[in-house]
């Protein structure tokens, strides 16, 4: 099995089950025109995030790692009209492309982009007393453990936390890896594998984005 086949299957699934629309297309075009890295979730993954958020009745969502706001748009659309999504981004250029994409999608009223390192904006959001039903962690992988710790502080029993890119082409199995992203994910899994506050699983995925995976954690207690 090959990348070519995975891409063909994703293209079939997205064509049949994940119709695109003007706002999503425009967001991808604007991100490409601004030369942002093309590492956003695939359309069918974006829809998975939206289904997960909707299925728990999420009214408040936190995202760590905005990029051009593509996953943000999927998640914000899963919210009710009076919902709220806070998304954290360190790169001012990414944040400004995302702001335009989100506004164009008609989601400017429920999405707030917070510029800065998540290691600084997460403690601030915690101090403000925010509580989230759903968290998507998708920034620099080296600090995933810290992002998850802050996410737990802003969760309630029943909150769902999704972590992107936990497989990295299988690199996660290599205990000798020197890759900072791989080491960050390994540290995250080691830190929380026996933590009774969460029920967590990990899934491998293949598709148009290659070979990677997600962790899903249901919060039991905080
Ligand atoms: N969630 C997006 C993709 C995010 S890519 C989507 O699927 O559409 C990862 C993003 O995290 C990049 O935009 C990068 O600039 C941002 N990032 C990296 N380090 C960060 C940090 N310390 N704090 C906040 N954001 C960070
Ligand atoms: C990378 C980051 C991501 O969040 C992703 O989904 C894919 C790749 C990266 O930094 O290479
Ligand atoms: Mg990602």
């Amino acid at each position: 099995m090959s990348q070519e086949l995975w891409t063909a299957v994703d293209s079939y699934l997205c064509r049949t089950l994940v119709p695109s629309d003007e706002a999503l297309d425009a967001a991808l075009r604007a991100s490409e025109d601004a030369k942002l890295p093309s590492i956003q979730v695939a359309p069918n993954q974006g829809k998975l995030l939206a289904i997960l958020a909707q299925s728990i009745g999420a009214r408040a969502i936190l995202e760590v790692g905005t990029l051009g706001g593509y996953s943000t748009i999927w998640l914000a659309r899963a919210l009710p009209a009076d919902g709220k999504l806070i998304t954290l981004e360190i790169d001012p250029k990414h944040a400004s492309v995302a702001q335009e994409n989100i506004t164009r999608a008609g989601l400017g009223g429920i999405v707030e982009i917070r510029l800065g390192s998540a290691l600084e904006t997460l403690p601030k959001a915690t101090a403000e007393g925010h509580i989230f039903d759903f968290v998507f962690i998708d920034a620099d992988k080296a600090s995933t453990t810290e992002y998850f710790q802050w996410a737990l502080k802003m969760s309630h029993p029943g909150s769902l936390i999704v972590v992107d890119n936990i497989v990295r082409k299988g690199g996660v199995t290599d205990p000798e890896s020197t890759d900072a992203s791989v080491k960050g994910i390994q540290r995250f899994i080691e830190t929380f594998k026996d933590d009774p506050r969460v029920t967590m699983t990990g899934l491998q995925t293949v598709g148009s984005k290659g070979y990677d995976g997600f962790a899903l954690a249901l919060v039991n207690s905080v």
Side-chain angles (χ1 to χ4, degrees), residues 39 138 141 164-165 168 209:
I39 54 174
D138 190 22
K141 313 308 165 187
D164 196 18
N165 311 115
R168 314 295 302 201
K209 284 190 72 180

Side-chain angles (χ1 to χ4, degrees), residues 36-37 39-42 49 63-72 87-91 94-95 114 116-119 121 136-141 143 147 164-165 209:
L36 267 49
I39 54 174
Q40 66 281 341
V41 293
L49 296 175
E63 177 177 67
V64 188
T66 316
L67 191 62
Y70 184 75
S71 55
T72 320
T87 183
L88 311 178
E89 175 55 53
I90 198 171
D91 187 314
H94 296 184
R114 294 189 171 191
S117 168
L119 289 173
T121 50
F136 181 46
I137 298 177
D138 190 22
D140 57 312
K141 313 308 165 187
S143 297
Y147 300 156
D164 196 18
N165 311 115
K209 284 190 72 180

